[in-house]
């Protein structure tokens, strides 16, 4: 694995905080990581990297505002074959749209030919454990899965 681009979709800051914590941990392990909290599709490398998309769901299953243009650009892309990605979704299980943004973005990337390299991690903000703690506990298994890429 050459590098990880952590793409943030966050309305209230929770997903951003999770992404920043993951980036810090990756960097301490010698893995290049860059956080994109205002992601621009044309500016994020798609080759020799892994996209780790960390997004919350906003409103009635919508994408956070900072991710809207990025998602629209993905919709316009013809082919994302060769792009490796994983998704972390943050949500609240008391809503029937729980983690819908993460699920929808994962399906969109798959429909464009991108390669999902690990199952989606869904974080419930109602859990006793903080979302960033759950994500940090998950990270070693994710690194093991993607280290061969």
């Amino acid at each position: 694995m050459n590098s990880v681009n952590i793409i943030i979709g966050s309305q209230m800051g929770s997903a951003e905080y999770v992404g920043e914590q993951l980036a810090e941990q990756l960097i301490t392990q010698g893995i290049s990581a860059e956080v994109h909290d205002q992601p621009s599709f044309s500016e994020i490398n798609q080759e020799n990297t892994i996209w780790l998309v960390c997004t919350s769901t906003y409103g009635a299953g919508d994408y956070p505002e900072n991710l809207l243009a990025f998602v629209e650009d993905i919709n316009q892309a013809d082919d994302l074959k060769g792009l490796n990605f994983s998704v972390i979704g943050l949500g609240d299980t008391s809503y029937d749209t729980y983690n819908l943004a993460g699920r929808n973005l994962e399906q969109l990337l798959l429909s464009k030919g991108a390669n999902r390299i690990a199952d989606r991690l869904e974080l419930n903000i109602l859990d006793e454990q903080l979302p960033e703690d759950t994500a940090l506990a998950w990270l070693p298994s994710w690194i093991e899965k993607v280290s061969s890429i």
Side-chain angles (χ1 to χ4, degrees):
M1 165 176 35
N2 291 341
S3 69
V4 178
N5 280 288
I6 300 174
I7 299 163
I8 304 295
S10 188
Q11 197 70 31
M12 305 299 286
S14 294
E16 184 176 2
Y17 189 69
V18 169
E20 289 170 351
Q21 294 293 305
L22 292 171
E24 286 178 21
Q25 186 63 31
L26 288 166
I27 291 167
T28 64
Q29 295 190 32
I31 300 168
S32 174
E34 184 175 354
V35 175
H36 303 273
D37 57 3
Q38 293 295 320
S40 169
F41 180 77
S42 63
E43 294 177 7
I44 300 174
N45 185 19
Q46 296 177 29
E47 297 178 20
N48 300 318
T49 188
I50 296 168
W51 283 9
L52 182 53
V53 181
C54 185
T55 186
S56 60
T57 298
Y58 181 66
D62 301 319
Y63 295 110
E65 288 180 22
N66 75 309
L67 205 59
L68 292 173
F70 182 77
V71 171
E72 184 55 35
D73 287 344
I74 292 173
N75 270 313
Q76 301 301 317
D78 292 327
D79 181 8
L80 294 178
K81 287 187 175 96
L83 172 65
N84 294 306
F85 77 95
S86 294
V87 173
I88 298 174
L90 284 84
D92 180 333
T93 53
S94 67
Y95 290 90
D96 59 356
T97 57
Y98 172 68
N99 268 317
L100 194 56
R103 294 173 186 176
N104 288 342
L105 186 51
E106 181 179 77
Q107 287 306 308
L108 175 60
L109 289 166
L110 289 169
S111 75
K112 297 295 182 173
N115 178 43
R116 178 182 52 213
I117 55 172
D119 291 337
R120 180 181 58 254
L121 174 64
E122 293 191 346
L123 302 172
N124 178 10
I125 62 163
L126 298 180
D127 285 345
E128 284 186 28
Q129 192 167 9
L130 295 172
E132 60 271 16
D133 291 343
T134 303
L136 288 170
W138 163 88
L139 189 62
S141 65
W142 182 81
I143 291 171
E144 187 174 321
K145 281 184 182 178
V146 302
S147 63
S148 62
I149 294 175

